[in-house]
Amino acid sequence: MKGCATHDETLTSGPGDGKRPTGPPSVLRVTRSLRRDLYTAGAAGVLVTAAVLIGRHIQHTHHTLFVDWPPLLAFWDPHLGPGTPAAVLVATATVVYGPALATRLPWRALLTLAWATAMAWIWSLALIDGWHRGIARRLTTRYEYLQVIDRFHDIPAALRDFTHHILLGSPDHWPAHVAGHPPGATLTFVLLDRIGLRGGGWAGAWCITVGAAACVAVLITIRALADEQRARHAAPFLVLAPAAVWMGTSADAYFAAVAAWAVALLALAITRGSLWWAGGSGLLFGLTCYLSYGLTLVALIGAAVLVLGRRELRERPALLVPLLAGAAVVPAAFTLAGFDWWEAYHLLVTRYYQGAGGIRPYGYWVWANLACAVLITGLATAAGLRRTGALLLRHRTASRADVRLGALVAAALVALLIADLSGMSKAETERIWLPFALWLYPACAFLPRPRAWLAAQALLALLINHLLRTGW
């Protein structure tokens, strides 16, 4: 990416050549900054290593983690698959050509290419496990949504009766993922089935196609709130995300996209003064809350957008009317259909502690979840977050666009940390936190030498998908 790597290319000595750096003060500052990036990435790697070793010890001695390869819900199984050549090809092409294309392509062409490449990356990683195991079977296991399609033949009756089957002791209790989410999640797959897109293959294709579009929403948001250059610098990192390992195939990829587009439409509504975009944003925010209880925390990212756009909002306060009206549509529809969100959430908390969530030790997962976050966002993001923090601390001397981008990333990080501290996300956060992780990748826009960091991101995803069998 132009403008990102130029400073480092003037370094007179590397961090490991045994010589004291020489040169002008600006060069020395870049050298120190690069070393701090590497130290941060190293510390993130140490965190992951500690989570693996300590987790294996706890699981071996106490059997309380309920995962085979802590901190991930996975097991060790080195393998190749039909998606391997494609995954390597997509990764190589993105590392080599991604930064340059992100700088030079027309904006709309960049968005189209980003979506297409993200889909290719997710599909190829999923197909490393083969079509059946990697895609078609993922949403049909005994924990998943497609197990209960037949119980929704009468949708209004199913919604009225939904809360009666959440607890483990209730008759015909819902599978874990159905009970763990509002019925909007399950209803999505019911409606796909109704229009003829039946089975795990179609469900998986839906999640991948929609989930890949999340990167486009993030890019649009950055361009609207910060500037286009920052969005272009972030684009390759959003496309080549290690999170793609879990976006194919997971309903949480679909949830992440809905939440991301809610934020993107809000950013467009504020910066363009559009009542229609505001209404659309509110509608998607309402839907987000009925896809996953935890995604109510996306409101923090939305709040950051409102704060960043407060001047425009003061000029057009009427934007709040369609925003709030749109946000009320989905909750009103489900409530009128007989589903009580608050009652269901309180029952879910009880159900959570009836199962593995009540046994998994908070003292391990409260920090091991952060190791999961490192694995889904990569070492480059860890280094980018360090730069984001440093930038926000010296915000008076930083550019307005950088500060606005940093604030957006910080809001997502706060949402993730609150989810962690809540204790309702013990394990499987590599999947559950996808909607928050996507908003951390833009921190990589602050990194120099983008190709080296991109290569590290791609290598991490390839290693995870080839060495482990992930699942839930």
Side-chain angles (χ1 to χ4, degrees), residues 23 43 64 71 163 191 225 232 241 313 343 357 363 384-385 402 429 455 461 465:
T64 56
T163 56
L191 294 177
L225 295 176
R232 289 178 177 275
L313 197 58
E343 178 189 7
L385 288 174
D402 284 348
T429 50
N465 223 141

Side-chain angles (χ1 to χ4, degrees), residues 20 37 61 121 155 395 417 453:
R20 188 179 183 86
D37 290 341
T61 56
W121 180 232
I155 292 176
H395 63 277
L417 293 175
W453 289 111

Side-chain angles (χ1 to χ4, degrees), residues 221 224-226 263 266-267 270-271 285 298-315 319-320 323 392 400 403-408 410-411:
T221 305
L225 295 176
V263 175
L266 180 59
I270 290 176
T271 55
F285 271 118
V298 172
L300 292 175
I301 305 176
V305 173
L306 293 176
V307 171
L308 293 174
R310 59 189 179 276
R311 184 176 62 183
E312 294 89 343
L313 197 58
R314 280 196 297 267
E315 294 173 355
L319 290 171
L320 292 176
L323 176 66
L392 292 176
R400 178 174 179 269
V403 171
R404 291 166 75 85
L405 177 55
L408 195 65

Side-chain angles (χ1 to χ4, degrees), residues 151 162-174 351 354:
R151 293 173 62 178
F162 192 87
T163 56
H164 298 153
H165 304 286
I166 293 178
L167 297 180
L168 282 178
S170 60
D172 297 323
H173 63 261
W174 298 121
R351 165 76 181 257
Q354 285 179 329

Side-chain angles (χ1 to χ4, degrees), residues 420-435:
D420 186 32
L421 294 173
S422 73
M424 290 295 290
S425 298
K426 293 194 291 257
E428 302 181 55
T429 50
E430 65 270 21
R431 168 183 59 82
I432 299 169
W433 286 356
L434 288 175

Side-chain angles (χ1 to χ4, degrees), residues 11 71 76 83 208 250 302 308 312 342 363 377 445 467:
L11 297 182
W76 183 262
I208 290 174
S250 164
L308 293 174
E312 294 89 343
W342 285 104
T377 60
L467 296 178

